[in-house]
Each structure stands twice: as C-alpha cells, then as structure tokens.
Amino acid sequence: IPQLLIDTDPGVDDALAIMMAHAHADIAALSVAAGNVGLGHTVRNARTLRDLLGATFPVFAGCATPLVRAPDEDAAFVHGMDGLGDVGFPEPKAAAEGEVAALALLRLTRERPGELTLVALAPLTNLALALRLDPTLPQRVKRLVVMGGAVTGHGNTGRIPAEFNIGFDPEAAHVVFEAFSRFDLVDWEATLRHGFDDAEFDAWLATGDQRAAFFGKVFRTARDYNAKHDRSGVVAADALAMAVAIDPSIVTRSEIRAVAVELDGRLTRGATVVDWANRLGRPAQARIVLEVDQARFAAMVRKALGVA
Ligand code: BDR
Ligand code: CA
C-alpha cells in the first residue's frame, strides 16, 4: 500500500483527494501550500480534514506566497472564501507542526528514502523551496505525481493557457519540472475528460457515510458556480491525480514528453509548453496522463465517500 506525502491547498477537490488517500493508502504527512485560498485557511482545512478522517498524520505549513511574483488571482470563487465551502466548521483539534513544510519534506524523505510517493495538488512553492535547499530530493522519492498544467493550452485561469497550480507560481513549477527526470503529470484537460455525471455523484453523496455528508456541504459553492456558468458534471482535478498516485496501473493512455513552463509571456505566463514532436531533443521528463480507467476511478471515489 502506497505511502503518500501530499502537498496540498485544500480546496474542495483537494479534500476529496485526501479522503481517497486515507481510504486507499497511508498518508505520511500533509504539507500545505497557499493557492486556492490563503495559507491560514488551507492549513486549517488540512487540520479539519484530519479530524473528519479520525487520522493522526502531521500537518506542516508551507510558504504563504509564491516564490517571486504575487499571484493575480486565487480560486475562492469556486472553493468558497475559506476554501471549504464556507460551512463554518469548528476549530480543528490539533495544531500544525512547528517545522516548515519544505524542511519536513526533506526530513521525511531522508528518514524513509525510496518509500514515499510525493503527490503535488497545489502550486509547487513548497517543493521548489525544498529542491533549492537540497537538489538530491528526487533521488529519495519513489514517485512524483503532479496535478497541474493544460497540455494543449485549455487552461482554467485568467491567463488562458495557464492552469491554476502552475499559473499561481510559475517559477516554482519551473524548478520542479527541471529537477525531476521523471514524474506523472495529470493536467486540467485530462480532468475535464474524467468528470462524473451529476445525478450519479449525488447518489453517492446521498448514500455514503459521514465523509459523503461532509463533501456534500463543502461542495456547495463549487456546485453553485457550475450552475451559474451552465456547466454540468463533477470534475475533481486533485482526485484524478490522487487516483494515479494510489495506483499507477489505472492509467490507460499516456505520453512521455518534455514539458517546460512559460515564465514571461504577456498572455501566457504560467502555461505548460509540451514538446509534442520532440523538436528540441530535450530529455522527456513528464509522463502526461491522457486517460485513466473511469470505472476504477469511480470505484476509488465511492470507497472514499463510504458508499456501500
Ligand atoms: C487545481 O487548482 C485548484 O483550484 C484545484 O484544487 C486543483 O489543484 C486545478 O486546476
Ligand atoms: Ca489543489
């Protein structure tokens, strides 16, 4: 059973991903980034999720800002002002650890070399900091799975080809993409191909256990947003990436390509540029996940929600 180090900015889809991790794997720790909402909220939400799951994994707070430039948007309009649907959960029980996330990532991978799968569900600030402090980090992780990017330019931010996690901290993504000679990339476009039907998903929420009830609540703001924008279906980017982290054999179609991050473009900063035709002859480091087994993905989500 996989041992996961999860870097996250909860976040509604992060919440579902963490529930999946708890149901199907061991969570070694959550390291928390700013992204969907500010760091104060994302750390608190990570602690709230730990209480919901009755778990004891440590939660480490990371960096409150991107490496270089202040972000020009967050994602509170989808996830709620507090990042978890503005439900008003009580103060979580235990505090976050005192150690900062980047140092915890380095320490945990030193204590358990080759054992931990790193799952990146947030802007890559914490991972980039850790890599700058210790460039040997990639040698000590079993795998890296990144939720990020829009491989043919259909992003989900105000800068059209940029996906949120990469667009929020492009320099950090650049550091990570240069440092790892192989990682799995689950992008926004794959997410859109792997949505769930609204009625099907509602039936899971209605028949699952307390985790389904929790998710039903936090999911409301995202639902309202979708309804307002005439979008149907449930898409959960981080849940898809988590499925790939838990069981890589779920991937049915992928391509290994060199991927770089645009750092300067006036309209394109934060875009992921894929060398599809290998014109630059650079080492291809990203296994781009194009398709997974949807039935197995659905089964993983159902179990995480406690659907019988
Ligand atoms: C990614 O951005 C965040 O809003 C989600 O939590 C996910 O990690 C999708 O682009
Ligand atoms: Ca996220």
Side-chain angles (χ1 to χ4, degrees), residues 190-196 234-235 240 290-294 297:
T191 301
L192 294 178
R193 287 191 294 274
H194 288 89
F196 300 109
V234 174
V235 297
L240 184 65
L290 295 169
E291 237 165 68
V292 309
D293 183 325
Q294 182 72 11
F297 176 34

Side-chain angles (χ1 to χ4, degrees), residues 237-262:
D238 294 338
L240 184 65
M242 186 56 76
V244 172
I246 292 167
D247 186 355
S249 78
I250 198 172
V251 176
T252 51
R253 196 161 66 88
S254 63
E255 294 200 29
I256 296 174
R257 292 285 182 273
V259 179
V261 180
E262 174 60 84

Side-chain angles (χ1 to χ4, degrees), residues 13-14 36 79 121 147 156 163-165 188 237-238:
D13 59 333
D14 299 78
N36 284 321
H79 299 263
L121 308 177
M147 188 288 128
N156 60 355
E163 176 278 334
F164 183 79
N165 287 341
W188 177 249
D238 294 338

Side-chain angles (χ1 to χ4, degrees), residues 169-186:
D169 193 344
E171 281 78 15
H174 168 80
V175 170
V176 173
F177 285 18
E178 299 268 292
F180 279 80
S181 56
R182 180 54 44 85
F183 60 90
D184 285 349
L185 187 67
V186 179

